[in-house]
Amino acid sequence: MLAHFPAANHLLLMFPSFVFDSPLWSRTRRNMDVIMRHWLFEQYNSALEVYMRLAEMVAERLRWSTLLAGSAIATATSAAPSGFPVSGNGLWYRTPGTIWSKEWLPVGNGYLAAMTPGGTTFETTQLNIESLWSGGPFQDPTYNGGNKQPSQRAQMATDMQNIRQTIFTNGTIDNVEVLSTDPGAYGSYSGAGYLLTSLNSTSHSSNYTRWLDLDAAVARASWSSGNGTLIRTSFCSHPLQACIQHLSSAPSSTIPTITHAFSAALEDGLPTPTVTCLDNSTLQVEGLVSDPGMAYELLFRASAVGNSSRVACVPSGTGNATLTITGATEAWVTWVGDTEYNMNAGDAAHNFTFRQELPHDKLVSLLETASPSSQTPSSSTYASLLAQHTAAYTSILGPFALSLGQKPDLTSSTDELKAAYQTNIGNSYLEWLLFNFGRYLLASSAPGVLPANLQGKWADGSSNSWGSDYHSNINLQMNYWFAEMTGMSSVVVPLFNYIENTWAPRGAYTAEVLYNINQGWVTHDEMNVFGHTGMKLSGNSAEWADYPESAVWMMVHVWDHFDFSGDSQWWKSQGWPLLKGVAQFHISKLIPDEHFNDSTLVVAPCNSPEQVPITLGCAHAQQLIWQLFNAVEKGYAASGDNDEAFLSAVLSQRAQMDKGIHIGSWGQLQEWKIDMDSPNDTHRHLSHLVGLYPGYALASYNSSIQAPPHGTAYTKAEVLNATQTSLIHRGNGTGPDADSGWEKVWRAAAWAQFANSSTFYEELSYAVERNFAPSLFSMYDPFDADPIFQIDANFGYPAALLNALIQAPDVASLTSPLIVTLLPALPTTWPTGSIESARIRGGMSLDMAWADGKLTSAAISVNSSSGAVERSVEVVYQGKTVASFTASPGANFTIP
Ligand SMILES: *[C@@H]1O[C@H](CO)[C@@H](O)[C@H](O)[C@H]1NC(C)=O
Ligand SMILES: *[C@@H]1O[C@H](CO)[C@@H](O)[C@H](O)[C@H]1NC(C)=O
Ligand SMILES: *[C@@H]1O[C@H](CO)[C@@H](O)[C@H](O)[C@H]1NC(C)=O
Ligand SMILES: *[C@@H]1O[C@H](CO)[C@@H](O)[C@H](O)[C@H]1NC(C)=O
Ligand SMILES: *[C@@H]1O[C@H](CO)[C@@H](O)[C@H](O)[C@H]1NC(C)=O
Ligand SMILES: *[C@@H]1O[C@H](CO)[C@@H](O)[C@H](O)[C@H]1NC(C)=O
Ligand SMILES: *[C@@H]1O[C@H](CO)[C@@H](O)[C@H](O)[C@H]1NC(C)=O
Ligand SMILES: *[C@@H]1O[C@H](CO)[C@@H](O)[C@H](O)[C@H]1NC(C)=O
Ligand SMILES: *[C@@H]1O[C@H](CO)[C@@H](O)[C@H](O)[C@H]1NC(C)=O
């Protein structure tokens, strides 16, 4: 990368060398690659300017981290802080965090998010607003979602025809670049600046600790200084759509003067906003994510307790201001924020503007609700805000509970536990904590307007790796893998709103212009918040871009939401219309296989996600489309739709289609219909095994319905054997192509599906050892000095763990029994444990316990919601059916 920039030498003269030696610089340079790929580069006059800007930013950041480190203290606490959950359900540390990606701690409510290093006299809280994105129509009014122009439709049809002909004669094609489009103003999710908090205190600090309480959903730092112990608490309340940072002392005494300021300079690439006083206790920030670009607003209101306390907003310099609090015994700042983004204006009726007026009045009223200016703040005001927050968080988590028989270790800090953790040896306490942390992160990032992105909602800098976007070829899916099973159904709904409002409307245009298809809609792998439905060009982009099955995979989540919840109102109004739109497109897109001429229907061109060759009948696509068609049949009766023509088209195509299951020359499950897999291919994705986990085309294989239209079916044993052969050859999830956490937890889940408890545990614990940071965030490149945070493994981990304890994979038809397997891959390290209120398909809920590695009790109840369908269930334990019954709404079963 650097070689392309002639300017680098100039910089070395202008900034001290520590700037370039810092991990921040290495990350910043890497982000440049992302910027380049997103073509934002033209905004700058020259490479020199870009590097100047980055170096300034790094220098500023380092100045602050030096201050931060200076405020840290040597005297460590010996055990978890008082107030830390006695169950051990939290993360704690003896020193403040330095590196954002692996040491800072997250809070969030889905709308807003923040990362805190846990500073003392200086605290730098990094802020996020969920919809703050560069790019889109805000940056470029001609932005059209990376699509072709209407005038190109006929040419595309011809090009597509030629591509298919080449594939049918030649088996593969070198590239399909002609179908893709320059991403234009694709943009990136951006950080929203920093809240800088300083205390006017020179007292020596000691007795430092910081922690994240996963029971209460608060981040805290405490340290002793001068008169007593200061404690800072941060949280983001879901009901209030506001975040709060609170400072108090014990015993109660006057706390030092607090100054809050806002900095965009620390936020890599964020332009300088206007900072003013909205009123005498409220700081207002109005800025742009880029110029031109989306506008955002943040409001910070200070509240102070104490007779002689005083709050003031003080203008400083030009376009700047600070909030100060003096003489308080307790004080807090409440902040709210929003942008011009409007997800409901992303359709033709709104000319795909995605725009609204900056909702200033709404922000003021949110602030008034959280911290009314007319009220004199008191300790009890704050206590009730906190209690309301924790109650809302607890209700998002629901009644689900897991025990792995873990014993909390309250004398080792979380980073120490993580550092001591080893593959296969493990630590059930840390494993349990990671499970709960995944649930905390989903509860804190998913229930906003937009779904959780590649980093949940936590991203630092204005240009993030992969745009911190919605990669929907495994990553977005993995984010939600465990949600239904652990009863977090409510947080999934924003995901469906996002698909409905940003994918479907422009996806219908893409279907027409790119595929010459007049019904339904399509999108591809990489998605921003502006309906980027075209194929995103970057080099020979087929590996990434040629993925019209992304929405097919997402429809698994749509179907599952109905299957788990039985919510037929939702199904009629949102679930079914989504599923139907995707299925309509794919019944028009499947074509007769003119390569094998075997009378089947296939997709072409296709490739496995992020993996060439470009060919026909890719296993991944065929399996997913088959599952989609099954969901259409299963959900038709409940949909209220009477479009029989659509249903029969789906059923007839399903009968004719290639099911994506072929066993190849070395006993493998073929990734492509042509047998050309390499036994040495350790690619990160398990694309062709999607039907093993999280899908069911392989896991619930049924030879009578998955036989080729004209030919002999494999037996289930043959299919699973081939699947396992492919899984073995795919390696352990560290390969020449990547070393991410998500590929390992996917493998762990797959091994659990084979009831192989030792390989499951080896892979799961390997992921923990290798890819999780001291903050327990999952790392894309764990050995980098300042690694990239990618949240998917945090979310894939709980799902993989659960897959060792309970399996109830979907089935093609509601007339096939649902097989519920208890403790299918229980590793020896969790001899004792229990699960309460795990949810399974058919609106069922499961409680169970085990001891000495043996099941001791289990009970299933079926919720009484009217939408839950009657179905036959078989419960299997240790290879034997231990119960079978017909599940009907309201029924309860004790097993055995
Ligand atoms: C250390 O901090 C804790 C709070 O985490 C407090 O309870 C304790 O009194 C402090 N100890 C000293 C010696 O200041
Ligand atoms: C819609 O947006 C396009 C640019 O994408 C613009 O050319 C056109 O004038 C807009 N139409 C309306 C009605 O605003
Ligand atoms: C035909 O396939 C071969 C690989 O089997 C490939 O090298 C060649 O480039 C392909 N031809 C075209 C036109 O894509
Ligand atoms: C900080 O405190 C010192 C001494 O208490 C005082 O002189 C100074 O003005 C204060 N600074 C600010 C910014 O409040
Ligand atoms: C200690 O208390 C005094 C008086 O209440 C106050 O002025 C001072 O800021 C406090 N110092 C610290 C470090 O809390
Ligand atoms: C506003 O003041 C804060 C605190 O002094 C500073 O960090 C920030 O960079 C200032 N902003 C501008 C635009 O000067
Ligand atoms: C703050 O402003 C309000 C009106 O906005 C006013 O009533 C109040 O007196 C002011 N307080 C101070 C301390 O200036
Ligand atoms: C499983 O596959 C291997 C390798 O292809 C083969 O040797 C073995 O016989 C197969 N086993 C079964 C039960 O099909
Ligand atoms: C796979 O790797 C082995 C060992 O590196 C090598 O001998 C073999 O030729 C490779 N096979 C293929 C099909 O690439």
Side-chain angles (χ1 to χ4, degrees), residues 306-554:
N307 293 336
S308 54
S309 67
R310 235 184 58 123
V311 166
C313 184
V314 187
S316 67
T318 356
N320 209 350
T322 56
L323 268 183
T324 59
I325 303 167
T326 47
T329 51
E330 178 179 347
W332 66 95
V333 59
T334 307
W335 62 276
V336 295
D338 208 338
T339 71
E340 288 177 300
Y341 178 77
N342 178 4
M343 192 169 76
N344 299 313
D347 55 11
H350 296 85
N351 204 14
F352 297 98
T353 56
F354 289 97
R355 191 184 287 270
Q356 66 178 0
E357 289 283 303
L358 205 49
H360 172 75
D361 294 345
K362 185 191 106 184
L363 289 179
V364 170
S365 93
L366 288 174
L367 203 52
E368 277 298 310
T369 310
S371 293
S373 56
S374 59
Q375 256 173 38
T376 308
S378 69
S379 291
S380 63
T381 328
Y382 168 73
S384 74
L385 293 172
L386 177 56
Q388 181 191 13
H389 157 64
T390 297
Y393 164 73
T394 309
S395 116
I396 290 173
L397 291 185
F400 177 90
L402 168 76
S403 163
L404 296 176
Q406 73 284 343
K407 301 221 169 22
D409 173 356
L410 300 178
T411 59
S412 302
S413 59
T414 308
D415 48 330
E416 291 162 355
L417 290 175
K418 171 59 188 66
Y421 188 91
Q422 287 175 53
T423 305
N424 278 326
I425 295 167
N427 172 344
S428 59
Y429 168 51
L430 185 63
E431 287 150 1
W432 173 80
L433 210 47
L434 267 166
F435 185 96
N436 296 347
F437 187 53
R439 299 233 303 147
Y440 168 82
L441 291 175
L442 196 69
S444 308
S445 64
V449 171
L450 289 160
N453 64 38
L454 280 181
Q455 300 188 185
K457 298 278 167 72
W458 297 276
D460 185 25
S462 68
S463 192
N464 283 280
S465 301
W466 303 284
S468 189
D469 68 2
Y470 298 93
H471 268 55
S472 45
N473 64 11
I474 175 63
N475 317 87
L476 180 57
Q477 287 86 354
M478 187 177 280
N479 281 5
Y480 289 89
W481 273 1
F482 72 81
E484 301 287 349
M485 273 192 89
T486 74
M488 291 176 69
S489 216
S490 68
V491 308
V492 185
V493 173
L495 173 65
F496 305 138
N497 295 340
Y498 164 74
I499 295 174
E500 179 184 330
N501 292 302
T502 78
W503 292 11
R506 188 135 56 197
Y509 171 78
T510 308
E512 288 171 13
V513 176
L514 190 58
Y515 294 92
N516 203 22
I517 290 175
N518 288 324
Q519 55 170 358
W521 57 273
V522 63
T523 185
H524 299 88
D525 171 38
E526 291 174 62
M527 299 293 306
N528 57 13
V529 296
F530 309 117
H532 199 96
T533 53
M535 278 197 205
K536 186 168 172 251
L537 180 73
S538 49
N540 176 9
S541 59
E543 286 172 81
W544 272 268
D546 180 20
Y547 187 55
E549 290 80 26
S550 58
V552 182
W553 195 346
M554 290 315 301

Side-chain angles (χ1 to χ4, degrees), residues 141-143 351:
T142 68
Y143 176 77
N351 204 14

Side-chain angles (χ1 to χ4, degrees), residues 18-30 58 62 99 784-787:
F18 68 80
V19 169
F20 302 102
D21 293 340
S22 72
L24 264 175
W25 178 252
S26 105
R27 184 163 72 110
T28 302
R29 258 183 56 198
R30 201 175 50 215
V58 170
L62 288 175
I99 298 175
D784 198 90
D786 186 7

Side-chain angles (χ1 to χ4, degrees), residues 663-668 715 717-722 725:
I663 298 177
S665 55
W666 45 277
Q668 87 280 15
T715 64
E718 286 168 339
V719 167
L720 290 179
N721 189 15
T725 298

Side-chain angles (χ1 to χ4, degrees), residues 815-877:
T815 58
S816 302
L818 182 72
I819 312 288
V820 181
T821 307
L822 305 180
L823 303 177
L826 183 69
T828 52
T829 47
W830 306 330
T832 303
S834 63
I835 285 187
E836 281 164 46
S837 298
R839 292 181 48 242
I840 47 183
R841 294 171 189 286
M844 286 178 250
S845 173
L846 169 74
D847 292 340
M848 71 171 175
W850 64 95
D852 298 327
K854 302 263 184 300
L855 186 72
T856 52
S857 67
I860 287 179
S861 61
V862 191
N863 80 24
S864 44
S865 128
S866 55
V869 249
E870 261 191 28
R871 61 198 295 176
S872 116
V873 177
E874 281 175 26
V875 183
V876 173
Y877 175 61

